[in-house]
Structure formats: structure tokens, C-alpha cells
């Protein structure tokens, strides 16, 4: 009898917990008043403070993740009711589709209730789709990844059907990896600050990121020229975006970038003069230049004058003004009757074989920087040219400007290499599990 007395309270507790769960799935107005834990990565409701979503959940709030497949979180089919657990329901956030109103938990026995609950779960539809798990604290949702892809619409909107779908899959995989890397960095930052007893610094970084993100959103809204919050939200919705997720992505990316910059500052090696010189000598083709020219052009059309002689006379007068020091660009705007005036005064073509009209090719390449041509006559009119800048074919000299360019390139390469090593290390130790393939 003593053994029975000890087991009965446990069984009763299990029955009531199951009844409460079925009540929530069935739409019970009392059970719906109990809030579910917020899952990081889920789109927040209008009543949810987005800053709360940025805070990592403790293990007490979010238990170990549920096994997921390509369809997102789901209960283990065919293994019986004993595999069901309350934390599985909290993680997958399932809702029964049909028949829930027929359930009468108070009149069912424990075996009947468990079987009925299992049946409901098998027919349930997930409210969110989890595509990646990071450790036991963080999930990445399909919605967040899709919104990141939508923000890169310009990269695939012009592509035809099959190519567009392939590009979307490529971007989905890239954005998923970027989000995972971001969350790995944030998890590492929190772990290090916690170990050092400086978790308060996390709040300072978040505060800075929130202010920076809000300024960025203000600039985006200003660029759209929206006058009200509702108008701005409608613009985002038209692109498949939500303000809460866009703001959250900005905040968390800023935090991750700041942390990565801090870590890499001491790990990235600045290249010295010998390394810069060695790179210059080992990559001559990279610094090889072609003939290039920047030139200005004034065209005098025969069609605008009573005779060709009158056109040439006008062109010669303008040339004398240029020789006297009048700004050539100003003369272009005042006298050009071709395309140069609408092109900032510049002639068409910068490399050999590209100069237009082709009749001017030899003259353009014969002039030195600052030199003004004679009046050139073609079948359609007269031309006056001035070369502003000239670059000659060959290897660029190893001057200070080029050294700075090489130093920056090598520094960027070193930074990218260190970042890749850092992410690879975090990926190995961060417990990353991708549970869904790109759509």
C-alpha cells in the first residue's frame, strides 16, 4: 500500500500535465493564458519587446532541442506516447488541426489521454520552422533566413525561373551560414564575459548596437521618404520583411561584428615592407596597366552653321579661348553640340580601340596631359580635344601609393584568414546542427 501511495501522486501529476497540454492544443481559453517560452529566431509579436528576443535563453527556459528533419520540428512517429515530453511541445510550438474540440480530458484515463495526445501531435502543423540549432540555447528559423534573402532581391529579381530559383537556394545557404556564424560569435562572447564576471558589458554592447540599428533604420526610412510608421511597415511587408526581425538582425550583427573586430585586432598580423615588396615582385601582372586616357571634347556640327568654314571659324575662336586659360570644361558646356556636354564634358572611350568617333583615335593618343589639339575636321563637323590625364602601358612604379594598396590588400587577406580560423573553431565546439536543407 505504501508503494501505491508513493506512485499515485506522480501519476496524477502526469495526468494533469498532459491534460493541460491537450487543453492548450485544443484551444482551451484557460490554458492559452499561460505564456510559452520565447524561442530566439521566432518573429516577435507586436506586444513583444524585440530587445528581449536578443537576450540568450537559459537552459531552464529552453530545454535540449527536439530532433528535427526536413519538415522542421516533429514528434518521433511510431514510438508510442512514452516519447512525448512537455519540453518538446514548448520547443516545436505545435497546434492541433482538427478534432481537438472533441477531446474531454477530464473523462479520459491516463492511457487514453496519452494516446489521444500522440494522435494530435502526429496531425499537428508547426507554427515556425527551425532550420538550425546552435548548442542548447539558440535556434535559427526559416523566416529569419528568408527575410535575409529577401533583402538581396536585386541579386536575383532579373533572373528567369530556373536560374532565379537556383540563385535563391544559393543565397539561402549563404545567409543561413552567416546567421549561424553570427550566433556562434555571440554565444562565445557571452561565455567569455560570463567567465570573466563581466556580463554587464554585454548589456553595454547591446545598448550600443540597438542605438546604431535604430539610426540605420531611420536612414532607411528617410531614403524611402515615408511619413508614418504604418507606411514604412507597409513598404517592408511588400518586400516580405518585418520590422522586428530586420531590427533584430541589425542589432545582433552589429554585436557580432564588434566582438569579431575585438578578437581579431590582436590576432591579425600587419605586413611589413619586405613582405609588401615580395608581393609586388611576385605578382607583376597584377600591377600591369594598359594605355588609358581621360579627355574632353567639343563638337561643332556643320548642320548648325551656314557653311563648313563658319563652323571651323567658330571652333578656332573657342580654341584660342582655351589656349588663353579659360576652363575647358566650361567651354564644353557653352559650345558643345554633341554628347560631351551631357557627359560632364568627357569624351567617349578611355582605352585603345574605344575612342569615339574613331576618327579622333590617333589624335587623342598623340596628346600629352594638358595639351589642346588643333581643330580637327571630319565629315560631320569640327572637333576640339584636350587630354586631362594619361596612363601609359607597363608596370606601375613601387611608390608610396602602391605600397599602401598592397599593405591594405595583405592586411585584408590576413584578417579574412584569421576570421575563417576563428569561425571554424567555433563551429567545431558550438554544437551546430543544420536540420533543414535550403528550399
Amino acid at each position: 500500500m505504501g508503494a501505491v501511495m508513493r506512485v499515485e501522486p506522480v501519476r496524477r501529476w502526469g495526468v494533469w500535465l498532459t491534460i493541460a497540454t491537450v487543453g492548450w492544443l485544443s484551444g482551451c481559453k484557460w490554458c492559452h493564458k499561460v505564456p510559452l517560452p520565447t524561442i530566439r529566431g521566432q518573429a516577435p509579436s507586436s506586444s513583444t519587446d524585440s530587445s528581449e528576443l536578443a537576450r540568450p535563453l537559459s537552459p531552464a527556459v529552453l530545454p535540449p532541442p527536439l530532433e528535427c528533419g526536413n519538415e522542421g520540428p516533429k514528434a518521433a512517429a511510431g514510438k508510442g506516447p512514452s516519447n512525448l515530453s512537455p519540453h518538446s511541445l514548448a520547443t516545436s510550438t505545435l497546434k492541433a488541426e482538427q478534432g481537438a474540440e472533441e477531446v474531454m480530458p477530464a473523462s479520459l484515463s491516463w492511457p487514453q489521454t496519452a494516446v489521444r495526445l500522440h494522435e494530435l501531435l502526429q496531425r499537428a502543423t508547426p507554427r515556425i520552422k527551425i532550420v538550425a540549432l546552435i548548442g542548447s540555447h539558440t535556434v535559427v528559423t526559416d523566416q529569419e533566413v528568408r527575410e535575409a534573402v529577401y533583402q538581396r532581391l536585386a541579386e536575383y529579381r532579373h533572373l528567369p525561373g530556373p536560374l532565379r530559383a537556383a540563385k535563391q537556394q544559393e543565397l539561402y545557404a549563404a545567409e543561413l551560414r552567416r546567421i549561424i556564424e553570427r550566433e556562434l560569435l555571440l554565444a562565445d562572447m557571452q561565455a567569455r564575459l560570463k567567465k570573466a564576471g563581466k556580463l554587464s558589458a554585454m548589456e553595454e554592447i547591446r545598448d550600443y548596437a540597438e542605438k546604431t540599428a535604430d539610426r540605420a533604420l531611420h536612414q532607411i526610412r528617410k531614403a524611402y521618404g515615408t511619413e508614418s510608421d504604418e507606411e514604412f511597415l507597409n513598404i517592408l511587408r511588400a518586400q516580405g520583411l518585418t520590422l522586428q526581425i530586420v531590427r533584430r538582425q541589425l542589432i545582433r550583427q552589429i554585436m557580432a561584428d564588434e566582438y569579431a573586430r575585438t578578437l581579431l585586432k590582436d590576432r591579425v598580423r600587419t605586413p611589413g615592407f619586405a613582405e609588401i615588396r615580395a608581393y609586388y615582385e611576385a605578382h607583376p601582372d597584377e600591377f600591369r596597366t594598359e594605355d588609358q586616357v581621360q579627355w574632353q571634347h567639343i563638337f561643332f556640327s556643320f548642320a548648325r552653321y551656314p557653311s563648313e568654314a563658319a563652323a571651323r571659324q567658330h571652333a578656332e575662336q573657342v580654341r584660342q579661348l582655351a589656349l588663353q586659360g579659360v576652363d575647358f570644361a566650361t567651354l564644353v558646356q557653352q559650345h558643345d553640340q554633341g554628347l560631351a556636354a551631357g557627359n560632364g564634358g568627357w569624351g567617349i572611350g578611355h582605352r585603345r580601340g574605344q575612342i569615339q568617333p574613331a576618327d579622333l583615335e590617333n589624335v587623342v593618343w598623340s596628346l600629352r596631359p594638358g595639351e589642346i589639339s588643333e581643330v580637327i575636321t571630319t565629315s560631320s563637323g569640327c572637333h576640339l580635344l584636350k587630354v586631362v590625364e594619361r596612363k601609359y602601358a607597363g608596370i606601375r612604379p613601387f611608390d608610396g601609393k602602391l605600397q599602401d594598396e598592397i599593405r591594405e590588400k595583405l592586411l585584408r587577406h590576413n584578417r579574412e584568414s584569421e576570421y575563417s580560423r576563428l569561425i571554424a573553431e567555433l563551429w567545431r565546439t558550438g554544437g551546430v546542427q543544420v536540420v533543414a536543407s535550403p528550399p
Side-chain angles (χ1 to χ4, degrees):
M1 186 66 178
V4 174
M5 292 296 292
R6 286 192 299 271
V7 172
E8 187 63 24
V10 176
R11 175 169 295 183
R12 289 178 180 174
W13 179 88
V15 171
W16 284 112
L17 176 60
T18 305
I19 290 173
T21 304
V22 174
W24 182 84
L25 291 172
S26 307
C28 172
K29 65 180 180 179
W30 301 112
C31 296
H32 270 293
K33 294 182 179 180
V34 180
L36 288 174
T38 302
I39 300 178
R40 287 206 307 171
Q42 180 181 0
S45 64
S46 58
S47 61
T48 303
D49 182 4
S50 59
S51 63
E52 289 297 322
L53 296 180
R55 294 189 174 91
L57 299 177
S58 65
V61 176
L62 184 62
L66 182 65
E67 179 183 356
C68 301
N70 289 336
E71 297 300 323
K74 60 183 180 180
K79 295 184 180 180
S82 61
N83 289 295
L84 304 175
S85 61
H87 69 255
S88 299
L89 300 175
T91 305
S92 58
T93 321
L94 298 175
K95 181 178 66 175
E97 291 179 331
Q98 298 177 346
E101 66 278 2
E102 302 174 3
V103 178
M104 300 178 62
S107 62
L108 297 178
S109 65
W110 160 249
Q112 291 173 322
T113 301
V115 170
R116 184 58 174 155
L117 176 58
H118 181 64
E119 292 173 354
L120 289 173
L121 289 173
Q122 296 307 305
R123 299 201 310 268
T125 302
R127 289 183 180 176
I128 62 172
K129 181 180 179 181
I130 297 173
V131 293
L133 308 169
I134 304 168
S136 60
H137 291 67
T138 307
V139 299
V140 179
T141 67
D142 176 71
Q143 181 181 0
E144 181 175 7
V145 182
R146 285 183 182 275
E147 290 202 23
V149 173
Y150 295 156
Q151 294 176 49
R152 301 175 64 174
L153 176 63
E155 298 182 38
Y156 60 85
R157 69 186 306 170
H158 62 286
L159 299 175
L163 292 178
R164 178 172 178 153
K167 185 64 175 180
Q168 286 177 311
Q169 287 189 342
E170 176 188 331
L171 293 177
Y172 190 98
E175 288 300 321
L176 174 57
R177 182 174 183 87
R178 183 186 61 80
I179 292 172
I180 291 174
E181 291 178 359
R182 180 193 75 195
E183 296 302 324
L184 285 171
L185 286 167
L186 292 177
D188 188 64
M189 175 173 65
Q190 184 186 21
R192 293 191 182 213
L193 290 176
K194 183 177 180 180
K195 184 177 181 179
K198 298 180 179 179
L199 275 178
S200 59
M202 191 86 169
E203 295 300 324
E204 296 177 6
I205 297 172
R206 181 181 289 109
D207 182 64
Y208 162 78
E210 288 177 352
K211 292 178 180 178
T212 305
D214 289 338
R215 285 196 297 270
L217 287 171
H218 177 74
Q219 292 299 321
I220 294 173
R221 176 172 170 173
K222 185 177 179 180
Y224 279 121
T226 56
E227 297 181 357
S228 65
D229 293 342
E230 186 61 28
E231 186 178 359
F232 183 49
L233 292 176
N234 287 336
I235 290 176
L236 293 178
R237 291 191 194 103
Q239 301 176 60
L241 305 175
T242 58
L243 179 59
Q244 295 92 334
I245 287 186
V246 171
R247 183 175 185 269
R248 179 179 183 274
Q249 288 176 336
L250 286 172
I251 291 172
R252 297 186 74 76
Q253 192 62 55
I254 292 168
M255 293 174 67
D257 289 345
E258 286 298 315
Y259 178 61
R261 188 177 297 110
T262 301
L263 284 181
L264 297 178
K265 184 172 63 175
D266 297 330
R267 297 173 61 167
V268 175
R269 179 179 50 82
T270 301
F273 178 82
E275 185 177 357
I276 295 172
R277 180 72 189 186
Y279 185 89
Y280 173 77
E281 294 177 350
H283 302 83
D285 291 341
E286 189 174 328
F287 308 106
R288 193 179 303 278
T289 61
E290 300 178 4
D291 278 335
Q292 297 184 40
V293 65
Q294 292 281 351
W295 58 290
Q296 295 171 311
H297 180 204
I298 304 177
F299 173 58
F300 305 88
S301 174
F302 287 154
R304 301 285 188 93
Y305 300 90
S307 65
E308 294 184 5
R312 281 193 294 270
Q313 182 180 5
H314 185 201
E316 188 60 46
Q317 291 172 352
V318 174
R319 181 175 183 272
Q320 292 303 317
L321 292 175
L323 292 174
Q324 293 170 14
V326 178
D327 181 56
F328 201 90
T330 302
L331 294 175
V332 173
Q333 297 301 322
Q334 293 174 348
H335 302 282
D336 179 64
Q337 298 163 3
L339 301 176
N343 190 35
W346 298 109
I348 299 175
H350 306 293
R351 291 182 172 84
R352 291 189 181 274
Q354 297 179 352
I355 304 300
Q356 295 293 329
D359 295 343
L360 306 179
E361 175 97 17
N362 291 335
V363 178
V364 168
W365 294 112
S366 68
L367 297 175
R368 297 184 298 273
E371 188 175 0
I372 298 171
S373 71
E374 301 287 340
V375 175
I376 306 164
T377 302
T378 63
S379 60
S380 58
C382 297
H383 305 262
L384 194 60
L385 316 178
K386 179 182 178 180
V387 168
V388 177
E389 183 180 2
R390 176 76 188 275
K391 294 182 179 179
Y392 297 91
I395 303 295
R396 292 179 59 186
F398 189 66
D399 54 17
K401 181 180 179 181
L402 183 57
Q403 291 176 36
D404 290 340
E405 293 178 15
I406 298 175
R407 180 181 295 105
E408 181 57 34
K409 180 174 184 176
L410 294 178
L411 185 61
R412 184 168 58 251
H413 177 267
N414 293 344
R415 189 181 298 115
E416 291 172 354
S417 298
E418 286 297 331
Y419 179 81
S420 297
R421 278 193 283 268
L422 171 63
I423 292 299
E425 179 183 346
L426 293 178
W427 198 284
R428 285 194 301 271
T429 60
V432 177
Q433 182 183 3
V434 178
V435 294
S437 302

